[in-house]
mmCIF file of all heavy atoms in Angstrom:
data_model
loop_
_atom_site.group_PDB
_atom_site.id
_atom_site.type_symbol
_atom_site.label_atom_id
_atom_site.label_comp_id
_atom_site.label_asym_id
_atom_site.label_seq_id
_atom_site.Cartn_x
_atom_site.Cartn_y
_atom_site.Cartn_z
ATOM 1 N N TYR A 11 6.230 -11.459 -1.208
ATOM 2 C CA TYR A 11 6.787 -10.085 -0.770
ATOM 3 C C TYR A 11 6.025 -8.962 -1.574
ATOM 4 O O TYR A 11 5.846 -7.853 -0.932
ATOM 5 C CB TYR A 11 8.261 -9.961 -0.886
ATOM 6 C CG TYR A 11 9.104 -10.617 0.239
ATOM 7 C CD1 TYR A 11 9.705 -11.712 0.211
ATOM 8 C CD2 TYR A 11 9.003 -9.918 1.348
ATOM 9 C CE1 TYR A 11 10.426 -12.299 1.273
ATOM 10 C CE2 TYR A 11 9.690 -10.420 2.613
ATOM 11 C CZ TYR A 11 10.382 -11.562 2.475
ATOM 12 O OH TYR A 11 10.975 -12.033 3.513
ATOM 13 N N TYR A 12 5.808 -9.101 -2.764
ATOM 14 C CA TYR A 12 5.084 -8.102 -3.515
ATOM 15 C C TYR A 12 3.770 -7.892 -2.908
ATOM 16 O O TYR A 12 3.330 -6.686 -2.746
ATOM 17 C CB TYR A 12 4.865 -8.667 -5.005
ATOM 18 C CG TYR A 12 4.329 -7.654 -5.985
ATOM 19 C CD1 TYR A 12 4.502 -6.329 -5.851
ATOM 20 C CD2 TYR A 12 3.659 -8.141 -7.209
ATOM 21 C CE1 TYR A 12 4.132 -5.394 -6.949
ATOM 22 C CE2 TYR A 12 3.228 -7.286 -8.097
ATOM 23 C CZ TYR A 12 3.474 -5.939 -7.976
ATOM 24 O OH TYR A 12 2.991 -5.089 -8.920
ATOM 25 N N TYR A 13 3.046 -8.873 -2.542
ATOM 26 C CA TYR A 13 1.701 -8.767 -1.741
ATOM 27 C C TYR A 13 1.951 -8.013 -0.422
ATOM 28 O O TYR A 13 1.236 -7.056 -0.083
ATOM 29 C CB TYR A 13 1.082 -10.210 -1.532
ATOM 30 C CG TYR A 13 -0.066 -10.176 -0.619
ATOM 31 C CD1 TYR A 13 -1.265 -9.556 -1.168
ATOM 32 C CD2 TYR A 13 -0.018 -10.611 0.630
ATOM 33 C CE1 TYR A 13 -2.481 -9.607 -0.243
ATOM 34 C CE2 TYR A 13 -1.153 -10.589 1.417
ATOM 35 C CZ TYR A 13 -2.323 -10.075 1.050
ATOM 36 O OH TYR A 13 -3.456 -10.037 1.848
ATOM 37 N N SER A 14 2.806 -8.537 0.473
ATOM 38 C CA SER A 14 2.955 -7.921 1.804
ATOM 39 C C SER A 14 3.410 -6.490 1.704
ATOM 40 O O SER A 14 2.964 -5.676 2.483
ATOM 41 C CB SER A 14 3.938 -8.805 2.713
ATOM 42 O OG SER A 14 5.080 -8.848 2.128
ATOM 43 N N ASN A 15 4.357 -6.109 0.682
ATOM 44 C CA ASN A 15 4.679 -4.900 0.430
ATOM 45 C C ASN A 15 3.598 -3.870 0.166
ATOM 46 O O ASN A 15 3.418 -2.763 0.640
ATOM 47 C CB ASN A 15 5.823 -4.776 -0.638
ATOM 48 C CG ASN A 15 7.079 -5.371 -0.160
ATOM 49 O OD1 ASN A 15 7.373 -5.525 0.966
ATOM 50 N ND2 ASN A 15 8.048 -5.520 -1.122
ATOM 51 N N ALA A 16 2.690 -4.405 -0.745
ATOM 52 C CA ALA A 16 1.541 -3.669 -1.178
ATOM 53 C C ALA A 16 0.711 -3.248 0.038
ATOM 54 O O ALA A 16 0.087 -2.246 0.138
ATOM 55 C CB ALA A 16 0.797 -4.341 -2.288
ATOM 56 N N LYS A 17 0.395 -4.291 0.856
ATOM 57 C CA LYS A 17 -0.392 -4.215 2.105
ATOM 58 C C LYS A 17 0.285 -3.051 2.979
ATOM 59 O O LYS A 17 -0.446 -2.322 3.549
ATOM 60 C CB LYS A 17 -0.546 -5.474 2.827
ATOM 61 C CG LYS A 17 -1.289 -6.557 2.196
ATOM 62 C CD LYS A 17 -2.778 -6.296 2.086
ATOM 63 C CE LYS A 17 -3.433 -6.763 3.459
ATOM 64 N NZ LYS A 17 -4.906 -6.561 3.405
ATOM 65 N N ILE A 18 1.526 -3.204 3.201
ATOM 66 C CA ILE A 18 2.205 -2.096 4.008
ATOM 67 C C ILE A 18 2.115 -0.749 3.393
ATOM 68 O O ILE A 18 1.871 0.215 4.015
ATOM 69 C CB ILE A 18 3.614 -2.519 4.298
ATOM 70 C CG1 ILE A 18 3.728 -3.847 5.211
ATOM 71 C CG2 ILE A 18 4.437 -1.455 4.874
ATOM 72 C CD1 ILE A 18 5.030 -4.491 5.333
ATOM 73 N N MET A 19 2.314 -0.669 2.139
ATOM 74 C CA MET A 19 2.349 0.553 1.490
ATOM 75 C C MET A 19 0.985 1.270 1.587
ATOM 76 O O MET A 19 0.861 2.494 1.663
ATOM 77 C CB MET A 19 2.613 0.365 -0.138
ATOM 78 C CG MET A 19 4.054 0.043 -0.317
ATOM 79 S SD MET A 19 5.213 1.435 0.117
ATOM 80 C CE MET A 19 4.976 2.466 -1.281
ATOM 81 N N ALA A 20 -0.176 0.409 1.518
ATOM 82 C CA ALA A 20 -1.403 1.007 1.733
ATOM 83 C C ALA A 20 -1.636 1.710 3.091
ATOM 84 O O ALA A 20 -2.154 2.769 3.269
ATOM 85 C CB ALA A 20 -2.501 -0.053 1.523
ATOM 86 N N LYS A 21 -0.941 1.022 4.183
ATOM 87 C CA LYS A 21 -1.053 1.599 5.423
ATOM 88 C C LYS A 21 -0.212 2.911 5.490
ATOM 89 O O LYS A 21 -0.625 3.913 6.210
ATOM 90 C CB LYS A 21 -0.526 0.640 6.470
ATOM 91 C CG LYS A 21 -1.504 -0.601 6.567
ATOM 92 C CD LYS A 21 -0.779 -1.645 7.534
ATOM 93 C CE LYS A 21 -1.737 -3.012 7.565
ATOM 94 N NZ LYS A 21 -1.104 -3.978 8.338
ATOM 95 N N CYS A 22 1.013 2.837 4.951
ATOM 96 C CA CYS A 22 1.825 3.981 4.933
ATOM 97 C C CYS A 22 1.269 5.135 4.170
ATOM 98 O O CYS A 22 1.359 6.321 4.524
ATOM 99 C CB CYS A 22 3.206 3.667 4.376
ATOM 100 S SG CYS A 22 4.161 2.515 5.367
ATOM 101 N N ALA A 23 0.546 4.852 3.056
ATOM 102 C CA ALA A 23 -0.117 5.916 2.196
ATOM 103 C C ALA A 23 -1.113 6.757 3.018
ATOM 104 O O ALA A 23 -1.188 7.991 2.877
ATOM 105 C CB ALA A 23 -0.735 5.207 0.957
ATOM 106 N N VAL A 24 -1.833 6.165 3.948
ATOM 107 C CA VAL A 24 -2.739 6.825 4.789
ATOM 108 C C VAL A 24 -1.951 7.875 5.612
ATOM 109 O O VAL A 24 -2.412 9.031 5.644
ATOM 110 C CB VAL A 24 -3.512 5.839 5.673
ATOM 111 C CG1 VAL A 24 -4.343 6.602 6.704
ATOM 112 C CG2 VAL A 24 -4.409 4.862 4.809
ATOM 113 N N MET A 25 -0.937 7.446 6.193
ATOM 114 C CA MET A 25 -0.107 8.412 6.961
ATOM 115 C C MET A 25 0.511 9.571 6.118
ATOM 116 O O MET A 25 0.710 10.656 6.626
ATOM 117 C CB MET A 25 1.029 7.651 7.708
ATOM 118 C CG MET A 25 0.643 6.664 8.734
ATOM 119 S SD MET A 25 1.958 5.934 9.626
ATOM 120 C CE MET A 25 2.663 4.808 8.489
ATOM 121 N N MET A 26 0.763 9.165 4.831
ATOM 122 C CA MET A 26 1.421 10.131 3.972
ATOM 123 C C MET A 26 0.388 10.970 3.268
ATOM 124 O O MET A 26 0.740 11.705 2.334
ATOM 125 C CB MET A 26 2.348 9.478 2.908
ATOM 126 C CG MET A 26 3.409 8.670 3.632
ATOM 127 S SD MET A 26 4.539 9.746 4.689
ATOM 128 C CE MET A 26 5.292 10.764 3.568
ATOM 129 N N ASN A 27 -0.887 10.729 3.481
ATOM 130 C CA ASN A 27 -2.058 11.548 2.814
ATOM 131 C C ASN A 27 -2.074 11.285 1.337
ATOM 132 O O ASN A 27 -2.161 12.209 0.486
ATOM 133 C CB ASN A 27 -2.017 12.950 3.176
ATOM 134 C CG ASN A 27 -2.318 13.249 4.536
ATOM 135 O OD1 ASN A 27 -3.208 12.710 5.127
ATOM 136 N ND2 ASN A 27 -1.511 14.204 5.110
ATOM 137 N N GLU A 28 -1.702 10.058 0.934
ATOM 138 C CA GLU A 28 -1.662 9.687 -0.549
ATOM 139 C C GLU A 28 -2.584 8.535 -0.651
ATOM 140 O O GLU A 28 -3.368 8.050 0.224
ATOM 141 C CB GLU A 28 -0.320 9.227 -0.962
ATOM 142 C CG GLU A 28 0.754 10.471 -0.826
ATOM 143 C CD GLU A 28 2.039 10.228 -1.659
ATOM 144 O OE1 GLU A 28 2.094 9.318 -2.460
ATOM 145 O OE2 GLU A 28 2.950 10.947 -1.433
ATOM 146 N N ASP A 29 -2.705 8.000 -1.979
ATOM 147 C CA ASP A 29 -3.789 7.121 -2.367
ATOM 148 C C ASP A 29 -3.538 5.673 -1.846
ATOM 149 O O ASP A 29 -2.823 4.933 -2.513
ATOM 150 C CB ASP A 29 -3.851 7.174 -3.867
ATOM 151 C CG ASP A 29 -5.142 6.335 -4.395
ATOM 152 O OD1 ASP A 29 -5.910 5.948 -3.546
ATOM 153 O OD2 ASP A 29 -5.166 6.114 -5.623
ATOM 154 N N ALA A 30 -4.266 5.406 -0.666
ATOM 155 C CA ALA A 30 -4.083 3.966 -0.141
ATOM 156 C C ALA A 30 -4.803 3.106 -1.084
ATOM 157 O O ALA A 30 -4.432 1.878 -1.128
ATOM 158 C CB ALA A 30 -4.552 3.972 1.241
ATOM 159 N N ALA A 31 -5.956 3.503 -1.645
ATOM 160 C CA ALA A 31 -6.731 2.633 -2.490
ATOM 161 C C ALA A 31 -6.003 1.874 -3.574
ATOM 162 O O ALA A 31 -6.220 0.753 -4.003
ATOM 163 C CB ALA A 31 -7.897 3.257 -2.993
ATOM 164 N N TYR A 32 -5.001 2.631 -4.136
ATOM 165 C CA TYR A 32 -4.153 2.053 -5.320
ATOM 166 C C TYR A 32 -3.464 0.804 -4.795
ATOM 167 O O TYR A 32 -3.516 -0.236 -5.412
ATOM 168 C CB TYR A 32 -3.105 3.120 -5.745
ATOM 169 C CG TYR A 32 -2.087 2.511 -6.605
ATOM 170 C CD1 TYR A 32 -2.360 2.289 -7.941
ATOM 171 C CD2 TYR A 32 -0.844 2.293 -6.105
ATOM 172 C CE1 TYR A 32 -1.389 1.706 -8.805
ATOM 173 C CE2 TYR A 32 0.163 1.677 -7.046
ATOM 174 C CZ TYR A 32 -0.086 1.469 -8.321
ATOM 175 O OH TYR A 32 0.783 0.943 -9.098
ATOM 176 N N TYR A 33 -2.925 0.931 -3.523
ATOM 177 C CA TYR A 33 -2.126 -0.266 -3.013
ATOM 178 C C TYR A 33 -3.032 -1.325 -2.490
ATOM 179 O O TYR A 33 -2.694 -2.500 -2.643
ATOM 180 C CB TYR A 33 -1.055 0.259 -2.002
ATOM 181 C CG TYR A 33 -0.058 1.215 -2.521
ATOM 182 C CD1 TYR A 33 0.033 2.495 -2.225
ATOM 183 C CD2 TYR A 33 1.096 0.525 -3.282
ATOM 184 C CE1 TYR A 33 1.089 3.284 -2.814
ATOM 185 C CE2 TYR A 33 2.006 1.369 -3.869
ATOM 186 C CZ TYR A 33 2.014 2.697 -3.596
ATOM 187 O OH TYR A 33 3.072 3.449 -4.082
ATOM 188 N N GLU A 34 -4.118 -0.916 -1.864
ATOM 189 C CA GLU A 34 -5.065 -1.933 -1.476
ATOM 190 C C GLU A 34 -5.552 -2.735 -2.665
ATOM 191 O O GLU A 34 -5.762 -4.051 -2.597
ATOM 192 C CB GLU A 34 -6.201 -1.297 -0.835
ATOM 193 C CG GLU A 34 -5.872 -0.675 0.571
ATOM 194 C CD GLU A 34 -6.979 0.185 1.140
ATOM 195 O OE1 GLU A 34 -7.962 0.430 0.392
ATOM 196 O OE2 GLU A 34 -6.794 0.731 2.238
ATOM 197 N N ASP A 35 -5.893 -2.104 -3.755
ATOM 198 C CA ASP A 35 -6.315 -2.827 -4.986
ATOM 199 C C ASP A 35 -5.306 -3.706 -5.478
ATOM 200 O O ASP A 35 -5.518 -4.871 -5.935
ATOM 201 C CB ASP A 35 -6.826 -1.802 -5.965
ATOM 202 C CG ASP A 35 -7.364 -2.440 -7.257
ATOM 203 O OD1 ASP A 35 -8.424 -3.209 -7.182
ATOM 204 O OD2 ASP A 35 -6.744 -2.316 -8.342
ATOM 205 N N LEU A 36 -4.055 -3.148 -5.600
ATOM 206 C CA LEU A 36 -2.980 -3.995 -6.061
ATOM 207 C C LEU A 36 -2.750 -5.209 -5.212
ATOM 208 O O LEU A 36 -2.595 -6.330 -5.755
ATOM 209 C CB LEU A 36 -1.676 -3.166 -5.943
ATOM 210 C CG LEU A 36 -0.326 -3.784 -6.367
ATOM 211 C CD1 LEU A 36 -0.387 -4.364 -7.795
ATOM 212 C CD2 LEU A 36 0.832 -2.963 -6.248
#
């Protein structure tokens, strides 16, 4: 779940104009 949450957060970050790379790297 930690992994799948991080993947989803990266997609959401793009929509929120925030740092998707942080979550992709995580």
Side-chain angles (χ1 to χ4, degrees):
Y11 274 111
Y12 191 25
Y13 170 72
S14 61
N15 287 347
K17 295 284 285 184
I18 290 170
M19 290 294 287
K21 296 174 184 176
C22 293
V24 174
M25 292 187 284
M26 302 301 294
N27 293 315
E28 295 196 18
D29 185 11
Y32 169 79
Y33 293 109
E34 291 169 353
D35 180 65
L36 175 62

